[in-house]
Amino acid sequence: MATTRVVIGVDVGGTGTKAALVDLSGEVLARSVRPTDIAAGTKGVITVVEDLLARSDEVDVDVAAIGVGASGFINAETGSVTFSPNLTYDDPYIEEALKSRTGLPVIVDNDANAAAWGERAFGGAKGCDHLALITLGTGVGSGFIVEGHLIRGWSGAGAELGHIVIDPDGPECPCGLRGCLEQFVGGLAIARDARALLGEFPDSQLAEVEASAITAETVGRAATDYDELSLTVLRRAGRALGIGLSNVVNLFDPEVIVLAGSVMGAGEPFLGAARDELFRMTNAQRRRPVRIDATSLGKDAGIIGAAALAIDERLGGIR
Amino acid sequence: MATTRVVIGVDVGGTGTKAALVDLSGEVLARSVRPTDIAAGTKGVITVVEDLLARSDEVDVDVAAIGVGASGFINAETGSVTFSPNLTYDDPYIEEALKSRTGLPVIVDNDANAAAWGERAFGGAKGCDHLALITLGTGVGSGFIVEGHLIRGWSGAGAELGHIVIDPDGPECPCGLRGCLEQFVGGLAIARDARALLGEFPDSQLAEVEASAITAETVGRAATDYDELSLTVLRRAGRALGIGLSNVVNLFDPEVIVLAGSVMGAGEPFLGAARDELFRMTNAQRRRPVRIDATSLGKDAGIIGAAALAIDERLGGIR
């Protein structure tokens, strides 16, 4: 029997389902990644978990628990999905599905909650008891740690910063509301806003590609070449993010805000504008400036966070 | 020596400083009230406390602790005021000032936090572990209980729902920001918005009084006579409150939202619009409807809440 105890951390996003064998100090030992089938999210989770279990022998480890961070509204108590606008889970009872197949203890939580927990367990905000983590991807997710506890809400549908309304006359959101933060700051919103400005900036780099090929990533890349359209869109999105962060500060008063997600790649025009706006706002309220960090766990934030949850909530926190 | 142990609960607002001897089951035994001197908030607290201590003999009780709910940003750990835009505390270290004078254990917290705690201890939301309380007065305050714990934040400046931005182009707020929820929903905002509409509604009841005499209360009263201007203003404010409540639901996912404060007196045109808007929004997100209650403690919510905090956090929770 192998002597090294590990956990499996799984991160289910709209594009990829990523998993890894993670040791009790947060190190990734082996990976399994596959594209997410958006019609069968749970099947994808089972596949990567079974793959890693099969390989645990060759890496010479014992898997002791499984943690899953999944996009959508998740009830962590039952380990099930209650609402997921962007991704269908063929079996919403993920915890039960994994437990019955593997016999291992399983925890399932929202992906941003998992990432927040990972930052506190193994990241740059280690040990921090008042932490907000915002994931800036296709959409906007968030996890809040208050006095060392994750905020999950009564029915597990809390911590949805992406869906607070910051402009009641703003664009419609797939969640059913209008003017959600995600509609100003998410990757899809940035791409949409760039497309909408093509007429005003006929000389933009982006006018040279198919409108449908414009993504937050292409906007970010064009901005590094000082493309006016892209800079305009990203600065506007950054200011909206600053407003969202000010709302976080007024409600949660965190010690640190950690930012994660692919849209971070849009860089300074976006993040600088957000930081400037937040600084202006906290200063106007005579609050002390809030520390803003980029995640130190990079693309592994979700996997490592899910693993940290499994360690702390299913193995009693042995590290 | 008297046998009945009681605590003193104090509620410091912009207009009145109210205090009472409260027994361990939440009953008010004697009161002391005085107008708040907005240049010397702490002195007022000391006066009502000393008044009640002097009278505790005649009521035949022993005062065991003091709880204070004070408007402003309060650091509950140090029992001190960190920022208070509407009221100056001559001594911001309220806990220390009361402790040194009385020798009793003292707790000081934000007034809305105290009211939230009172609802959970002695009010209609007894025992509820996921609770949001919103005070609708001159301004807007809030207290959030998550998994049975008050959210105070890292520096004690959290739970300020009145200052989340719901419209970046909205009116300026004394806190330094623009478009805060309080600027759409607070009593001062309602009065201001009514004044601004006088030109459009020359037949309004409110056109008969001095513009400076218009308050949220007069608007509420005129609305009961179907005054068009007043109904328009209150419905608009109610819709903004609904948006604020939706943001609360998306972040905290409470079991119950309790509403308190003088602006509740504006009644159905205001509260009905808020409830409708929130229902529309939760429904669009396929969330379950959220229970909304009016406070069962009425004007004593602040006093009883401060007393409950003293009982639970300074006397170990004996009730």
Side-chain angles (χ1 to χ4, degrees), chain A residues 117-199:
Chain A
W117 197 254
E119 283 299 326
R120 180 173 186 265
F122 298 122
K126 202 172 226 166
C128 177
D129 280 344
H130 291 92
L131 168 82
L133 177 131
I134 324 285
T135 57
L136 303 161
T138 318
V140 174
S142 58
F144 300 100
I145 294 172
V146 171
E147 286 183 27
H149 294 278
L150 273 172
I151 292 204
R152 283 164 170 147
W154 179 54
S155 67
E160 289 291 343
L161 184 74
H163 301 290
I164 65 165
V165 172
I166 63 162
D167 180 357
D169 301 318
E172 276 180 31
C173 184
C175 83
L177 303 185
R178 187 180 269 283
C180 295
L181 180 62
E182 181 167 305
Q183 289 305 315
F184 297 91
V185 166
L188 290 178
I190 288 172
R192 176 204 64 207
D193 290 350
R195 267 179 238 120
L197 283 186
L198 284 171

Side-chain angles (χ1 to χ4, degrees), chain A residues 83 151 153-160 163-166 168 175-177 247 250-253 255 284-285 287-288, chain B residues 83 151 153-160 163-166 168 175-176 247 250-253 255 281 284-288:
Chain A
F83 179 46
I151 292 204
W154 179 54
S155 67
E160 289 291 343
H163 301 290
I164 65 165
V165 172
I166 63 162
C175 83
L177 303 185
N247 289 352
N250 272 284
L251 289 174
F252 295 104
D253 181 27
E255 182 180 358
Q285 288 192 306
R287 288 177 176 274
R288 46 184 135 176
Chain B
F83 179 45
I151 291 204
W154 179 55
S155 67
E160 290 292 342
H163 301 291
I164 64 164
V165 172
I166 63 163
C175 83
N247 289 351
N250 273 285
L251 288 175
F252 295 105
D253 181 28
E255 182 179 0
M281 293 175 83
Q285 287 193 307
R286 286 181 265 175
R287 288 176 175 274
R288 45 184 133 179

